[in-house]
Amino acid sequence: MTHAAPDPADVRAADAPRKRVLLAAPRGYCAGVDRAVIAVEKALEHYGAPVYVRKEIVHNRHVVDTLAARGAVFVDETDEVPEGARVVFSAHGVSPAVKASAAARNLQTIDATCPLVTKVHKEAVRFAADDFDILLIGHTGHEEVEGTQGHAPEHIQVVNSPDDADHVEVRDPERVMWISQTTLSVDETMETVRRLRVKFPHLQDPPSDDICYATQNRQVAVKKLAPSCDVVITVGSANSSNSVRLVEVALDAGAGVSYRVDKAAEIDPAWLVGATTVGVTSGASVPEILVSDVLAFLAEHGFGEVEEVRTATEDLMFSLPRELRADLKAAGEPTGRPRPDGRRRLDVQPV
């Protein structure tokens, strides 16, 4: 009996390494981001354009461009907003001085500060009232850090990194406590705290963890998949602190290489040469449509098999800002959250 020789193409296919994508879950929109974006969308629907927004509502270029196309006007400071107009404060929060400036210009404000950031503000105010020196672990210049520091400027100093801990000076080493920016690397933050505690043994912790649940969950998911990945791609903008941290976390957890992109078009196909497993995640201000585009790009390059790596399930939701809720209720419009899934697609693409 004779047998036909195997087709060389079949042999090559059998020998070809299996290519796959490990997709992190949770990823993308957190409750605070979803709330802030919906607040601007609802404001545009209810009041009409323009609706002014101080700073980027969240740190994502696609989201900002999409909302701008619908009539949102993004400004750096409240003095750029016409007298008496309506302005939304971003999810990152603002200082009392910014609120006072808005009041002086008779602006109608909608405060979309993430409730978890508001919690940190309240901690700062409370401990400043007790005359503690407050060490704010975070990145100087980040909008959230500026807003938090503005709540107790005489008591707060920023600690940017573990190395900075060695240079901190306080008035009374027995009356010092730490708080943190909500979007930091958990590991680096705790290393900074460890080094601060060496210098200040009486250092007090905040009443509850300041790094937000979503930041932690996304980092845990990346830590789980990274050791199996030749490449990890994080979708997120360059000014998104939590997205940048995910790139670092992936590397620290064992990924071969780690990259950040705003969108699929920024992926260099050369990154995929020789890779068999690609990890994908996204920062807490990234809509799922951008992740879908990345998965489509990877499928076109042979990575069509997608396995989700889930480490937590998120069901937290925040109600809309009270100012907006009150106006919607007075007009007989629904005040509930329209979408239970935070990673929903935006309705309008940027122009």
Side-chain angles (χ1 to χ4, degrees):
M1 179 182 292
T2 59
H3 298 278
D7 187 323
D10 293 338
V11 173
R12 287 195 299 272
D15 292 341
R18 172 191 177 204
K19 291 185 175 182
R20 61 176 180 161
V21 173
L22 297 182
L23 180 62
R27 62 183 177 276
Y29 271 12
C30 64
V33 164
D34 200 40
R35 170 183 185 261
V37 174
I38 291 175
V40 178
E41 293 174 340
K42 283 282 192 181
L44 287 166
E45 292 168 5
H46 179 73
Y47 306 112
V51 169
Y52 292 86
V53 183
R54 182 184 181 274
K55 307 291 186 182
E56 294 186 352
I57 186 66
V58 296
H59 285 160
N60 184 266
R61 189 71 257 159
H62 174 89
V63 171
V64 170
D65 289 347
T66 299
L67 293 174
R70 296 179 60 173
V73 178
F74 293 89
V75 298
D76 285 329
E77 298 298 344
T78 53
D79 60 12
E80 300 172 51
V81 181
E83 184 100 11
R86 182 168 281 101
V87 63
V88 180
F89 295 143
S90 81
H92 308 103
V94 298
S95 68
V98 170
K99 293 183 178 180
S101 172
R105 296 180 57 75
N106 298 312
L107 302 183
Q108 303 174 68
T109 61
I110 298 173
D111 189 353
T113 302
C114 174
L116 300 180
V117 174
T118 299
K119 176 183 76 72
V120 179
H121 291 174
K122 291 179 178 178
E123 291 172 355
V125 171
R126 170 186 164 188
F127 281 89
D130 289 337
D131 202 30
F132 275 74
D133 277 10
I134 302 169
L135 307 181
L136 171 55
I137 302 172
H139 299 133
T140 300
H142 190 279
E143 288 151 41
E144 182 187 327
V145 168
E146 291 178 346
T148 299
Q149 193 169 21
H151 279 76
E154 302 300 319
H155 290 262
I156 293 179
Q157 56 181 304
V158 180
V159 183
N160 283 275
S161 68
D163 288 342
D164 274 6
D166 299 333
H167 308 293
V168 172
E169 299 295 337
V170 299
R171 294 170 300 160
D172 182 352
E174 295 192 357
R175 296 187 65 77
V176 57
M177 64 93 60
W178 70 273
I179 58 177
S180 79
Q181 183 180 330
T182 63
T183 55
L184 300 180
S185 160
V186 177
D187 294 338
E188 183 174 345
T189 299
M190 296 319 297
E191 173 60 15
T192 303
V193 172
R194 185 192 69 79
R195 289 175 63 168
L196 285 169
R197 205 178 300 281
V198 169
K199 189 168 185 179
F200 307 113
H202 296 282
L203 179 70
Q204 293 196 26
D205 299 326
S208 59
D209 195 350
D210 285 344
I211 297 178
C212 91
Y213 77 95
T215 297
Q216 296 187 55
N217 285 348
R218 280 145 192 74
Q219 291 177 18
V220 169
V222 166
K223 286 180 181 180
K224 184 172 182 178
L225 64 80
S228 302
C229 296
D230 304 298
V231 181
V232 171
I233 296 173
T234 296
V235 186
S237 293
N239 62 339
S240 167
S241 176
N242 76 91
S243 297
V244 173
R245 299 290 82 73
L246 287 172
V247 177
E248 299 168 352
V249 168
L251 279 177
D252 291 342
V257 291
S258 184
Y259 301 101
R260 180 204 56 78
V261 297
D262 254 305
K263 53 189 176 182
E266 295 178 1
I267 299 174
D268 185 345
W271 299 347
L272 309 177
V273 174
T276 58
T277 302
V278 176
V280 174
T281 188
S282 57
S285 52
V286 177
E288 184 71 354
I289 187 173
L290 300 183
V291 176
S292 298
D293 290 346
V294 166
L295 296 179
F297 178 96
L298 292 173
E300 291 171 2
H301 288 78
F303 294 84
E305 180 182 339
V306 180
E307 301 174 22
E308 188 172 72
V309 177
R310 176 168 294 279
T311 54
T313 298
E314 296 175 353
D315 56 9
L316 179 65
M317 294 175 62
F318 295 132
S319 58
L320 293 172
R322 60 177 179 81
E323 306 94 341
L324 178 59
R325 277 202 324 272
D327 286 351
L328 292 175
K329 184 177 180 180
E333 298 178 30
T335 60
R337 296 288 299 278
R339 291 171 290 258
D341 181 3
R343 298 192 305 274
R344 82 288 191 271
R345 292 172 179 265
L346 291 173
D347 298 317
V348 179
Q349 300 305 306
V351 295

